[in-house]
Amino acid sequence: MTTSTIVTAGDRTARRSHRRVEPIYYFFLLPSLVLFTLAITVPGVVGIFFSFTDSIGIGEWHFTGLTNYIALFSDPAILQSYLFTIGFSIATVIVVNVLAFLLAVGLTARIRLKTALRTVFVIPMVISGIIIAYVFNFLFSNSLPSVGEALGIPALSTSLLADPDLAWVAIVIVTAWQAIPGTLLIYIAGLLAVPGDVYEAAALDGASKGQQLVRITLPLVAGYVVINVILGFKGFLNAYDIIVGLTNGGPGTATRSVAMTIIAGFNGGDYAYQMANATIFFVVAILISLLQLSLTRGRNAF
């Protein structure tokens, strides 16, 4: 191959890589971009603007500078909602991912009726969160105490939802029950993508099922773990409907999430103050996401 041939081929490759984008792509992108801007970006910017005012959502308003933000950091109710939300999110992410991964391993094994079982386990994902919450509210408030009294177990004789120290456990259980199916599907996809030859080679080398799980399966599905953790944490930070249906933030304010606090403020005419809270919550969520990505970067997670 001559030098001129190499140069010509290189020029064609360079021209191909710098080929302009076809206008039709922008034509299809524009509607989505306009809708996203009008529905997400513009309201977000307007909300941030009003967080520096004393607006109640309607009528006149005046600039107050950083007054709302300063007041937030000295508000114990706001601090409590952040502590509960972050603690609840961490606990739920752990429970959901551990159980979903173990279920995925079982549902991808050589067992009978695994297709039917996958369908059964996915059912909670298609049920409304508020309906699930009301059903479990009845179970925790009536059925479970009745069983506890019948069996003579004092710990189960009273509703978990009425205990300020244990109500969060009930919320984690119900939230995990609904969230596991979506996480399970992602893990099943990851496990099915692992070549079977890898396990056959490991078995020939004498690796047990436990060793294969720890040394082969987990490293190869690490990217799926990262995806589930990030998506799960983001979703649990915005927890609202299940908490409303179970405890409505009680007992007292023990299980009031940040989302509940913000919406309650909007309904109570505390618009600007809660917009400042929402802005801080948005920044916190971004920082947590960046932290998660930085901790997994460089570990071949993706």
Side-chain angles (χ1 to χ4, degrees):
M1 183 180 293
T2 63
T3 304
S4 60
T5 304
I6 295 175
V7 172
T8 303
D11 291 342
R12 283 201 298 267
T13 303
R15 285 197 299 271
R16 193 180 299 115
S17 62
H18 291 87
R19 184 180 299 169
R20 68 186 184 86
V21 178
E22 295 294 336
I24 190 65
Y25 295 128
Y26 294 112
F27 175 77
F28 284 107
L29 176 63
L30 185 60
S32 299
L33 183 62
V34 171
L35 289 175
F36 182 85
T37 301
L38 294 178
I40 305 295
T41 307
V42 172
V45 172
V46 171
I48 294 173
F49 171 80
F50 278 109
S51 70
F52 296 96
T53 69
D54 59 357
S55 173
I56 61 172
I58 58 174
E60 297 182 355
W61 50 267
H62 305 88
F63 278 107
T64 58
L66 297 175
T67 302
N68 291 325
Y69 290 90
I70 295 173
L72 284 173
F73 289 101
S74 59
D75 189 338
I78 297 295
L79 179 60
Q80 166 64 25
S81 67
Y82 275 87
L83 291 175
F84 167 76
T85 302
I86 295 175
F88 153 78
S89 300
I90 294 174
T92 310
V93 162
I94 294 173
V95 171
V96 167
N97 280 274
V98 170
L99 294 180
F101 180 77
L102 294 177
L103 286 173
V105 171
L107 293 176
T108 52
R110 296 178 180 178
I111 60 175
R112 295 181 180 180
L113 302 176
K114 61 182 180 182
T115 302
L117 288 174
R118 291 177 189 175
T119 304
V120 171
F121 279 109
V122 169
I123 290 176
M125 186 175 64
V126 299
I127 304 176
S128 170
I130 194 67
I131 294 176
I132 293 173
Y134 284 134
V135 170
F136 273 93
N137 189 322
F138 178 82
L139 294 177
F140 284 126
S141 301
N142 299 279
S143 302
L144 193 59
S146 299
V147 172
E149 290 179 0
L151 297 177
I153 304 176
L156 297 179
S157 299
T158 57
S159 173
L160 288 175
L161 304 178
D163 190 333
D165 298 323
L166 295 177
W168 68 273
V169 176
I171 296 174
V172 169
I173 292 172
V174 179
T175 305
W177 189 81
Q178 186 190 36
I180 283 175
T183 307
L184 172 66
L185 291 178
I186 295 177
Y187 279 136
I188 288 177
L191 292 171
L192 293 177
V194 178
D197 297 342
V198 178
Y199 294 107
E200 293 177 4
L204 291 174
D205 289 337
S208 64
K209 292 295 184 181
Q211 290 174 327
Q212 293 178 26
L213 178 65
V214 174
R215 299 188 178 184
I216 296 177
T217 305
L218 281 175
L220 291 179
V221 300
Y224 297 88
V225 175
V226 174
I227 291 171
N228 277 327
V229 169
I230 293 176
L231 292 179
F233 203 87
K234 174 183 175 296
F236 301 143
L237 283 176
N238 297 315
Y240 179 77
D241 53 350
I242 287 180
I243 300 177
V244 170
L246 283 175
T247 65
N248 198 28
T253 58
T255 60
R256 175 169 288 188
S257 66
V258 177
M260 289 187 64
T261 304
I262 292 171
I263 294 176
F266 289 164
N267 295 333
D270 212 0
Y271 177 77
Y273 185 65
Q274 292 304 331
M275 276 311 311
N277 188 14
T279 302
I280 292 178
F281 189 50
F282 171 74
V283 174
V284 170
I286 293 295
L287 292 177
I288 291 175
S289 298
L290 293 176
L291 176 61
Q292 290 175 322
L293 290 174
S294 65
L295 291 176
T296 56
R297 187 175 299 150
R299 300 183 182 180
N300 297 322
F302 293 98

